[in-house]
Amino acid sequence: MTVEYDKDLSRHNTFGLKVSCACYVEFGSEDELRKIYGAAGEFGFPQPFLHIGSGSNLLFTRDFPGTVFHSAIRFVRPLDSKEKRPGEDDVILVEVGSGVLWDDFCAWCADRGLWGPENLSGIPGEVGSAAVQNIGAYGVEVKDIVKEVRCLDVVTGEIRILPAKECRYGYRDSIFKDTAKGRYVVTSVVFMLSSTPAPRLEYGHVREAVEKVCGPVPVPASQGNSCSPGPDTQSETEWPEALTPGLVRGTVIGIRDSKLPDPSVTGNAGSFFKNPVVPKSSYSIVENYAKGRYGEGYSVPHFDMGSGFIKIPAAWLIEQCGWKGYLEGNVGVYEKQPLVIVNVTGKAVPDEIIALENKIVHSVSEKFGITLHPEVEHV
Ligand code: EPU
């Protein structure tokens, strides 16, 4: 265990904000973590406690008065087939420590030809926070491949294994962020991988980019529709030889790099807001606005969630309000993806980001009557 007092957190939040915490502790095992909670009084670490990964989805609104914990539990362990349950014969189970960099795990899978996390390649952060936040990109969410999450229950001091179902995953949401916030500290995650191709290419231009390299790719049965039913089973499908998890990973990283700022160059925390899910009546207001502005033939980008709800890209709403590429002092709205707030000069202070956030929320609400909610966690 390493302990540092009055620690500068600039390198522990991808916004690059110069904030500090009273104490910073890195633990390398479940035993160390148990000791921290079992003997909090003995160690005397200042309260409150906060667990972070790479700080890639965090906005420190001020210096943190308590102790920031970080997992250095780093291992990738394929599980013995005996640990598989019936019906999971095709699934390769791999347990990964919470402190492993998420993209290192994606690369590990791609290097071994294993399908699962390839669409989530390039996302900053670590495995533990990926499971807390239910990271998602290019049509996949991490919940799709999580089998179970191992954590310390800080109330009972026991290690618990939560099956994915008990994590109650939703869009960028889980019990770890909601009803059980502060109760569990993730130590490892078991993922379900597959050596049989399981490409998910239907988001945006992913299919087009992949097919440029490997030629036409059949639509898997589970992703087919009435117009394109796809083959009956994945094993019957004739996949192009060049279609590998590595190809999809490389394609996704290429798309990300062309749209999202690199936090090691320009401070940011990815999408600052969630994409709002609104009732059809609210969507109609947006549609009327767009038709008035761009003509009857214009179609607002949206996704029908069923049950009368529509998801609208926050990026589109923010762009309509004129924020794309906006600069003010040390902060701005990224010119290629307005869902991302950036620390343009590297010298931003939390209040500048919060002021810009508030202005954006206010203007979208004024124009469309829709309230944007931050995706980035404010601490
Ligand atoms: N759009 C615009 N203007 C822009 C950019 C996008 O109007 O300048 C509209 C377009 O209609 C586009 C739509 O927004 O089709 C969606 O854009 P994009 O595919 O870039 O995705 P997003 O909804 O803005 C989400 C995730 C990202 C993830 C991408 C790709 C959220 C909050 N964000 O963004 O995740 O990489 O999809 O799957 O769900 C993150 O969570 O930090 C993150 C970057």
Side-chain angles (χ1 to χ4, degrees):
M1 191 185 318
T2 59
V3 181
E4 293 169 78
Y5 289 93
D6 197 16
K7 164 97 171 166
D8 172 19
L9 294 173
S10 315
R11 292 157 71 93
H12 296 273
N13 73 100
T14 58
F15 261 124
L17 298 176
K18 199 163 168 34
V19 284
S20 66
C21 61
C23 183
Y24 182 83
V25 175
E26 205 161 70
F27 55 90
S29 67
E30 284 180 351
D31 274 353
E32 287 187 353
L33 184 60
R34 268 216 186 95
K35 278 187 198 143
I36 287 167
Y37 279 91
E42 186 188 314
F43 286 121
F45 294 138
Q47 304 266 356
F49 288 179
L50 171 72
H51 285 264
I52 67 169
S54 313
S56 55
N57 198 47
L58 277 185
L59 173 64
F60 281 103
T61 57
R62 57 182 178 133
D63 289 336
F64 188 71
T67 304
V68 170
F69 293 94
H70 179 241
S71 166
I73 302 178
R74 298 191 186 103
F75 66 88
V76 180
R77 184 168 71 98
L79 296 183
D80 192 90
S81 58
K82 275 184 284 192
E83 296 183 47
K84 287 185 204 169
R85 294 201 188 128
E88 287 177 352
D89 292 349
D90 277 330
V91 178
I92 293 161
L93 299 179
V94 178
E95 183 177 8
V96 188
S98 53
V100 171
L101 277 178
W102 172 256
D103 194 54
D104 284 356
F105 169 58
C106 296
W108 185 94
C109 295
D111 288 348
R112 286 158 184 78
L114 294 175
W115 295 86
E118 61 284 350
N119 290 40
L120 305 175
S121 293
I123 297 183
E126 292 169 6
V127 166
S129 33
V132 166
Q133 163 77 356
N134 187 21
I135 56 169
Y138 305 101
V140 174
E141 289 178 308
V142 83
K143 74 169 173 54
D144 303 337
I145 57 164
V146 168
K147 177 179 164 60
E148 59 200 24
V149 179
R150 189 176 162 100
C151 30
L152 176 77
D153 180 338
V154 304
V155 174
T156 64
E158 299 295 321
I159 293 293
R160 276 200 62 184
I161 295 174
L162 298 180
K165 207 167 164 217
E166 282 183 34
C167 299
R168 289 200 222 117
Y169 282 122
Y171 171 50
R172 299 293 193 277
D173 201 16
S174 70
I175 51 161
F176 306 112
K177 294 180 73 182
D178 189 26
T179 46
K181 195 171 167 131
R183 171 144 192 186
Y184 300 113
V185 181
V186 177
T187 58
S188 68
V189 182
V190 176
F191 293 100
M192 302 175 293
L193 310 173
S194 159
S195 52
T196 311
R200 281 143 307 172
L201 309 179
E202 307 319 320
Y203 188 100
H205 299 290
V206 178
R207 171 172 286 274
E208 192 184 316
V210 164
E211 289 186 338
K212 262 190 200 149
V213 179
C214 70
V217 179
V219 179
S222 55
Q223 295 163 39
N225 53 41
S226 52
C227 309
S228 155
D232 280 348
T233 67
Q234 306 231 344
S235 48
E236 279 175 20
T237 309
E238 297 237 346
W239 302 105
E241 215 163 287
L243 176 68
T244 61
L247 172 62
V248 178
R249 168 175 164 76
T251 304
V252 163
I253 289 177
I255 297 173
R256 284 185 72 88
D257 287 351
S258 70
K259 289 193 172 174
L260 296 168
D262 177 352
S264 65
V265 179
T266 309
N268 75 89
S271 300
F272 196 92
F273 300 100
K274 290 185 185 176
N275 288 324
V277 176
V278 301
K280 273 198 172 131
S281 53
S282 301
Y283 174 69
S284 302
I285 297 172
V286 177
E287 212 175 22
N288 287 339
Y289 157 86
K291 288 196 189 303
R293 181 164 181 183
Y294 302 110
E296 277 303 311
Y298 185 86
S299 166
V300 176
H302 67 282
F303 180 74
D304 195 336
M305 307 286 288
S307 314
F309 284 89
I310 309 276
K311 190 190 261 188
I312 309 176
W316 185 86
L317 296 168
I318 296 169
E319 183 171 352
Q320 296 308 308
C321 294
W323 292 107
K324 198 169 174 166
Y326 177 83
L327 292 175
E328 184 175 315
N330 296 301
V331 296
V333 175
Y334 194 53
E335 71 274 10
K336 294 186 206 157
Q337 169 49 287
L339 201 45
V340 181
I341 293 182
V342 281
N343 177 358
V344 185
T345 60
K347 292 183 183 144
V349 294
D351 281 351
E352 287 179 284
I353 295 179
I354 295 164
L356 181 55
E357 169 189 4
N358 289 338
K359 284 185 199 172
I360 293 171
V361 171
H362 182 74
S363 70
V364 169
S365 168
E366 287 271 290
K367 201 178 199 87
F368 298 110
I370 292 174
T371 305
L372 292 182
H373 294 285
E375 199 226 303
V376 167
E377 191 180 346
H378 292 46
V379 177

